[in-house]
Amino acid sequence: MTNNENQYTIYIRSTKESIPVSKEEFDAYYHDINIYRIRQQRHGRCVCPASKRLTCDMDCLTCPFHRMGDMRSLDYTETDDEGNETAWVDEIPDDSPLLEDIIIEASEMKTLYARLTELMPEAVKIGELRLEGLSEDAIGERIGIGRKTFAYRLKKVKTVLEKEFPDIF
């Protein structure tokens, strides 16, 4: 190694030692660390001074230069000008469906299924065979009805169900 290559060292903070490396090894080691550190600094979570940047090992939780930044707990509260306190957890929108909507939809689906089997009992078997990947001709052979016949019946049943269940279709 030449003197030029010896000037590059990697500092291991846990053991407090510097290891001499080549420029390529130095660049490879600090490349991801620098990207991560810069991202943390943008968010106010790293206040590492320029003179200590080579001590960074991306272990922010044990670093003396780690700060909270823009990441706070959901229990964090803010107080407005009128003295009203609001927790961040209260601001999270709840996109999950209401239980009564789930029950209503399940009830509607049961009614739709019952009506479908009433109008055309073989429709459920046709659906199962389609899920298995069979062609329409193969399905017709399995259920004992011609392909055009069951396609026509399905079309008629769909028309009836669309009229009876307009919210679903």
Side-chain angles (χ1 to χ4, degrees), residues 80-157:
D80 62 10
D81 296 336
E82 298 167 6
N84 299 323
E85 217 173 66
T86 307
W88 281 14
V89 73
D90 296 334
E91 301 291 323
I92 298 174
D94 185 12
D95 296 334
S96 59
L98 299 173
L99 182 59
E100 64 185 38
D101 292 340
I102 295 171
I103 292 170
I104 290 170
E105 287 177 16
S107 173
E108 287 176 346
M109 292 307 290
K110 283 181 184 176
T111 307
L112 174 67
Y113 183 78
R115 184 69 173 131
L116 174 64
T117 54
E118 180 184 318
L119 292 171
M120 187 178 176
E122 61 271 5
V124 176
K125 184 67 176 170
I126 291 169
E128 290 172 355
L129 294 172
R130 279 191 175 163
L131 288 175
E132 289 178 17
L134 295 177
S135 67
E136 289 191 357
D137 290 328
I139 292 172
E141 288 177 21
R142 284 255 184 111
I143 62 172
I145 302 174
R147 178 185 60 83
K148 288 185 178 182
T149 304
F150 84 75
Y152 174 76
R153 288 182 187 172
L154 282 175
K155 187 175 179 181
K156 277 193 112 172
V157 167

Side-chain angles (χ1 to χ4, degrees), residues 1-13 15-31 33-34 51-57:
M1 286 187 177
T2 65
N3 284 342
N4 224 5
E5 289 181 285
N6 283 338
Q7 69 184 358
Y8 294 102
T9 59
I10 293 176
Y11 181 76
I12 309 298
R13 189 169 42 145
T15 60
K16 296 183 176 159
E17 63 181 322
S18 292
I19 301 171
V21 294
S22 68
K23 178 171 178 19
E24 292 79 23
E25 292 170 324
F26 178 86
D27 290 341
Y29 180 81
Y30 281 110
H31 179 263
I33 291 175
N34 288 334
S51 63
K52 300 290 185 178
R53 288 193 181 146
L54 294 180
T55 63
C56 183
D57 60 359

